[in-house]
Amino acid sequence: MICARTFKAIDILKQEEFYMSKVLSAKNAVARIEDGMTLGIGGWGPRRKPMALVRELLRSQCKDLTIVAYGGADVGMLCAAGKVKKLIFAFVSLDFIPLEPYFRQARQNGTLDVMEIDEGMMLLGLRAAAWKIPYIPTSLGLGTDVIKYNPTIKVIDSPYDDKAWVAMPALKLDVSILHVDRADARGVCQIKSPDIYMDDWFARAADTTIVSCDELVGSAFFSQNDEARSVFWERAQTSSVVPIAGGAHPTSCAPGYGFDVSHLKIYNASVKEGGFSAYFEKYIATKTEQEYQQAVGGLEAILKLPLPVY
């Protein structure tokens, strides 16, 4: 069944200049991700992850990816599906479930090549890539095992004093996938939550940025009521726009909806109850995104999920 939001999106596309439109289906957008690429995934743990795009990637044949993420179920699912060759991360957590089950399984089995770094170091790596410089010097990581277990990260001498600095290398991304509250067909993207995490740097660090959005709006939307104040990167950085209401589920997209605690508990339990293959077959394998949403209670239920309180 086509929801009212879909009809609204169709009307908006008719109003936009066709040559400017970056709107694609999830399948066509994700088709730009190829074997062996380095893929950045925006969001933070169980917050504003582009899960509809991740599900489309799970249905694809793509493999041997290097993933860069402040990870949650996105990372866990891709690891469980055997699509990850290397993981560059600061953490992988479901928040109220501290250890993401399938990421934990992959680490314990030794099936991943990993680069585990400090949260701030990863931000600097994305910034270096965005600024097109090879590294950014920082004191983050000095005197820790981050340097010991990441021999590719070098410690350098300062040309100005006698101090040593960590040279955090650029984390250049082939593709980034992000989820936002609203976007227009030109690629202007809006995030309304109090924290945009590092999505702006994921967008700028990538050659191609694919963005799913809860709502597709006309370009005039951003010229009213200070809405442009919630736009955090240039539309030129956005390569594709994929309208999918509820597309962050089961993660949150504040202020629109919270994360789905019940479903994440089902996902977490699946590691001991049939494994990821059973979860994949039930919720993802043969389903469209609309069918997936029906399987988890429907879009209306997703949009009513309460925001977490900390």
Side-chain angles (χ1 to χ4, degrees):
M1 187 172 83
I2 300 178
C3 67
R5 287 196 179 197
T6 302
F7 283 120
K8 182 180 178 182
I10 292 171
D11 288 340
I12 288 168
L13 285 176
K14 289 178 180 178
Q15 296 167 16
E16 299 289 338
E17 292 293 337
F18 178 79
Y19 72 90
M20 298 174 67
S21 179
K22 297 178 180 178
V23 176
L24 291 176
S25 68
K27 185 173 184 178
N28 287 341
V30 167
R32 304 180 76 170
I33 304 172
E34 300 176 0
D35 291 358
M37 280 187 166
T38 297
L39 174 67
I41 306 177
W44 184 272
R47 299 169 184 82
R48 210 174 60 249
K49 286 289 183 178
M51 294 304 297
L53 298 179
V54 170
R55 285 186 282 274
E56 196 61 53
L57 184 57
L58 288 167
R59 297 183 194 105
S60 77
Q61 299 299 311
C62 193
K63 61 184 185 302
D64 294 332
L65 298 171
T66 294
I67 302 293
V68 180
Y70 297 94
D74 53 328
V75 169
M77 291 183 186
L78 291 170
C79 286
K83 294 186 177 295
V84 184
K85 180 179 180 180
K86 181 177 181 178
L87 179 63
I88 301 173
F89 70 107
F91 61 82
V92 183
S93 174
L94 300 180
D95 202 355
F96 69 98
I97 301 172
L99 293 177
E100 208 289 339
Y102 291 102
F103 161 75
R104 179 180 184 176
Q105 189 177 70
R107 284 301 307 271
Q108 289 177 336
N109 292 341
T111 57
L112 290 177
D113 182 8
V114 297
M115 180 180 180
E116 183 174 1
I117 51 180
D118 173 87
E119 293 171 13
M121 292 175 73
M122 196 156 89
L123 169 60
L124 293 177
L126 294 171
R127 283 181 174 171
W131 292 339
K132 295 180 172 53
I133 55 178
Y135 68 90
I136 291 178
T138 178
S139 60
L140 295 172
L142 281 175
T144 74
D145 281 350
V146 170
I147 306 304
K148 178 181 178 181
Y149 290 107
N150 290 292
T152 58
I153 299 178
K154 306 299 183 182
V155 176
I156 60 173
D157 294 327
S158 168
Y160 301 110
D161 53 35
D162 59 355
K163 294 182 179 180
W165 298 87
V166 173
M168 180 59 208
L171 297 175
K172 188 71 182 79
L173 309 175
D174 295 306
V175 180
S176 281
I177 56 174
L178 313 171
H179 186 77
V180 302
D181 296 272
R182 298 178 183 88
D184 72 6
R186 302 174 304 159
V188 178
C189 298
Q190 183 188 64
I191 296 174
K192 295 293 283 188
S193 74
D195 195 334
I196 67 169
Y197 310 118
M198 313 303 166
D199 285 10
D200 50 344
W201 295 107
F202 275 101
R204 294 189 179 107
D207 293 330
T208 298
T209 298
I210 302 168
V211 179
S212 58
C213 63
D214 271 299
E215 184 178 3
L216 186 70
V217 297
S219 298
F221 175 86
F222 297 105
S223 62
Q224 61 185 2
N225 302 323
D226 287 334
E227 296 292 352
R229 292 185 180 274
S230 299
V231 174
F232 298 100
W233 63 86
E234 304 76 16
R235 63 185 171 93
Q237 303 296 330
T238 306
S239 308
S240 303
V241 174
V242 183
I244 305 178
H249 184 273
T251 71
S252 65
C253 187
Y257 48 93
F259 47 72
D260 192 333
V261 173
S262 296
H263 187 77
L264 286 172
K265 286 182 177 179
I266 292 171
Y267 167 71
N268 183 60
S270 71
V271 75
K272 295 181 180 179
E273 299 172 2
F276 184 71
S277 60
Y279 176 89
F280 178 78
E281 289 300 322
K282 182 174 182 178
Y283 292 104
I284 301 173
T286 61
K287 298 185 183 301
T288 64
E289 188 60 21
Q290 289 71 30
E291 290 170 335
Y292 163 81
Q293 291 184 357
Q294 287 302 312
V296 298
L299 177 59
E300 185 176 351
I302 290 172
L303 299 180
K304 289 181 179 178
L305 287 168
L307 296 171
V309 177
Y310 297 100

